Amino acid sequence: MANKKSGQGRSAAARKAMRAKRRRRKILLVCVEFLVLGGALLWIWTNAKMDKINTDKSFQAKDVENEELSKETKDVLGQYTTIALFGLDNRENNSYSSGNSDVIMLARIDKDTKEVRLVSVYRDTFLKMADLDNTEAYSKANAAYAVGGPEQAVRMLNTNLDLDIQEYVSFDFSAVAEAVDILGGVEIEITEEECVHLNNYCIETSEVTGKSYDPLPGAGTYNLNGVQAVSYGRIRYTAGDDFKRTERQRLVVNKMVEKALKSDIGTINDLIDAVFPQIKTSLDKTEIIAMAMDAFHYKLGESRGFPFDLRNKVVSISYQQSNADCVIPKDLSSNVKQLHDFLYGTTSYTVTDSVQGISDEIAYRTGVTVGGE
């Protein structure tokens, strides 16, 4: 009898265990179904958002590839993602295919640490345009985009700076103003001199963007709205001229990134809906999604302006048959070495023969050298 009762007890326990196992299996299946459904919805949502971006399908990396670089240099550059950012003055043509690029930035992302470093290339920097067959093609850096769009502008950067940039993002006043407003503004300290110029620029910026603003009463720290932030980044008539202006632009970018990283999903959604249609980029859906997955791990590092060592001088732009006030590198080769050190940690970088030749030509045309003017 004892053995029979014991067997019945074990059978009841076994049945109970089986029922529990079946319940766990059902719960697991429901969870998997929810995960699959959630993943499908996320995929649909993400693709819908990506479709809002103006993707430049005509831009091909092979057309801007820098074949002058050594394998060693390409291996170093390959450890990072470097994207060219162009802020366009396209008020007259409302196009992302041409116009002077009044903002030229290099955004370098460390693939391991996720640190982002920004370098502003001064728009008036006297450099060789990407048409290597034209020995007269030296002009201000911002002319490259106006002459040949993003392809010419990226090739110009690669040619003069020994880079191998294969992606770009272009935007205009309206995109930045819209983004700042959605993020709730950016807090920036304004001097009395900056206040005067900011208020003046706001008039035109407001007309271009169709957005409103309130004039600032004077020096102080303000939470700038979209029109005010864009106008702040356009100021160039103070001490430091264009060099100070690029500092302001990088400050606005830094403040926007800081706010974005702290924003909720609703704000990010609004940002995507409003801003994505106002940019043009060579990045495809897959690349953007991959970068977005790491977005909240990014951290902002140092930022600088290029050239590091420079001089202002009026020089002849032969193919335009005019003279222009330009930023002259002292000299280009030494500045490119500093650039590679700052962005990629290459402390003993040797420039290519091509960049050395451009550096010598700039010195010849302008008379500006490391030990001279």
Side-chain angles (χ1 to χ4, degrees):
M1 292 291 293
N3 288 338
K4 185 177 180 180
K5 289 183 179 179
S6 177
Q8 290 175 342
R10 284 195 300 272
S11 178
R15 288 196 297 273
K16 184 176 181 181
M18 287 296 294
R19 287 195 296 271
K21 186 176 181 180
R22 284 195 293 269
R23 283 197 298 271
R24 288 195 298 270
R25 186 179 298 158
K26 289 180 180 179
I27 293 172
L28 179 59
L29 287 172
V30 170
C31 289
V32 169
E33 289 173 357
F34 272 116
L35 285 173
V36 171
L37 178 60
L41 291 174
L42 179 61
W43 184 86
I44 293 171
W45 179 86
T46 301
N47 273 272
K49 297 301 179 184
M50 295 302 106
D51 285 339
K52 295 176 179 291
I53 295 177
N54 183 7
T55 302
D56 185 355
K57 296 181 179 179
S58 66
F59 187 92
Q60 299 295 320
K62 62 181 178 60
D63 295 331
V64 298
E65 182 181 1
N66 191 343
E67 297 180 353
E68 296 284 331
L69 301 178
S70 66
K71 181 181 182 302
E72 181 183 5
T73 297
K74 287 199 173 187
D75 287 343
V76 172
L77 298 182
Q79 298 173 31
Y80 304 85
T81 298
T82 306
I83 301 173
L85 308 178
F86 300 111
L88 304 180
D89 183 355
N90 59 359
R91 286 165 288 178
E92 295 182 359
N93 57 25
N94 194 32
S95 168
Y96 290 93
S97 300
S98 62
N100 286 333
S101 50
D102 283 353
V103 175
I104 306 173
M105 286 189 188
L106 309 175
R108 185 234 65 184
I109 306 170
D110 188 310
K111 293 180 180 179
D112 293 327
T113 67
K114 307 306 177 187
E115 182 202 45
V116 180
R117 288 193 174 188
L118 297 175
V119 171
S120 297
V121 177
Y122 302 127
R123 68 174 194 172
D124 292 337
T125 306
F126 189 66
L127 296 173
K128 180 166 185 153
M129 298 298 100
D131 184 359
L132 302 182
D133 295 328
N134 184 349
T135 58
E136 297 298 321
Y138 282 76
S139 184
K140 294 184 177 184
N142 72 338
Y145 205 108
V147 172
E151 181 181 315
Q152 180 91 333
V154 171
R155 287 178 61 212
M156 178 272 297
L157 293 172
N158 287 342
T159 298
N160 288 272
L161 307 182
D162 270 355
L163 297 177
D164 198 25
I165 300 169
Q166 298 181 5
E167 307 291 355
Y168 81 91
V169 176
S170 295
F171 54 90
D172 62 7
F173 293 168
S174 297
V176 177
E178 186 71 26
V180 170
D181 283 341
I182 291 172
L183 290 170
V186 290
E187 188 173 284
I188 293 176
E189 184 177 358
I190 308 294
T191 68
E192 190 65 43
E193 186 180 19
E194 288 173 334
C195 179
V196 173
H197 293 296
L198 184 151
N199 286 336
N200 289 335
Y201 273 116
C202 275
I203 298 172
E204 183 184 40
T205 304
S206 177
E207 293 175 353
V208 172
T209 62
K211 290 178 167 292
S212 61
Y213 72 99
D214 292 321
L216 299 182
T221 299
Y222 299 93
N223 189 54
L224 304 182
N225 73 358
V227 171
Q228 294 165 334
V230 169
S231 299
Y232 173 76
R234 296 180 64 192
I235 298 172
R236 62 178 302 188
Y237 300 108
T238 61
D241 301 316
D242 196 39
F243 317 125
K244 185 64 178 177
R245 185 178 76 149
T246 60
E247 285 185 19
R248 296 187 185 100
Q249 292 168 351
R250 293 195 299 274
L251 178 60
V252 170
V253 171
N254 287 345
K255 294 288 187 179
M256 290 172 66
V257 172
E258 288 175 0
K259 291 287 287 281
L261 293 177
K262 297 176 182 177
S263 298
D264 57 34
I265 189 63
T267 300
I268 298 299
N269 185 61
D270 291 342
L271 198 62
I272 291 172
D273 286 341
V275 177
F276 273 22
Q278 299 186 63
I279 66 174
K280 185 174 184 178
T281 180
S282 59
L283 294 163
D284 60 27
K285 285 184 182 182
T286 303
E287 293 168 320
I288 294 172
I289 292 172
M291 294 179 66
M293 294 293 288
D294 289 327
F296 290 97
H297 298 291
Y298 293 154
K299 54 186 177 183
L300 291 172
E302 296 179 69
S303 63
R304 300 285 296 277
F306 181 91
F308 303 92
D309 302 317
L310 52 87
R311 180 174 180 250
N312 282 89
K313 188 175 182 179
V314 175
V315 297
S316 173
I317 299 178
S318 302
Y319 78 100
Q320 292 179 337
Q321 297 183 339
S322 63
N323 294 328
D325 190 2
C326 295
V327 173
I328 315 299
K330 291 182 62 175
D331 59 3
L332 180 63
S333 61
S334 63
N335 276 282
V336 169
K337 290 178 183 179
Q338 293 181 66
L339 179 70
H340 280 254
D341 183 14
F342 176 71
L343 288 181
Y344 309 111
T346 311
T347 56
S348 57
Y349 182 73
T350 301
V351 301
T352 60
D353 291 342
S354 177
V355 165
Q356 186 59 58
I358 296 171
S359 182
D360 294 342
E361 182 68 16
I362 290 174
Y364 172 75
R365 287 171 180 249
T366 65
V368 176
T369 61
V370 173
E373 291 189 61

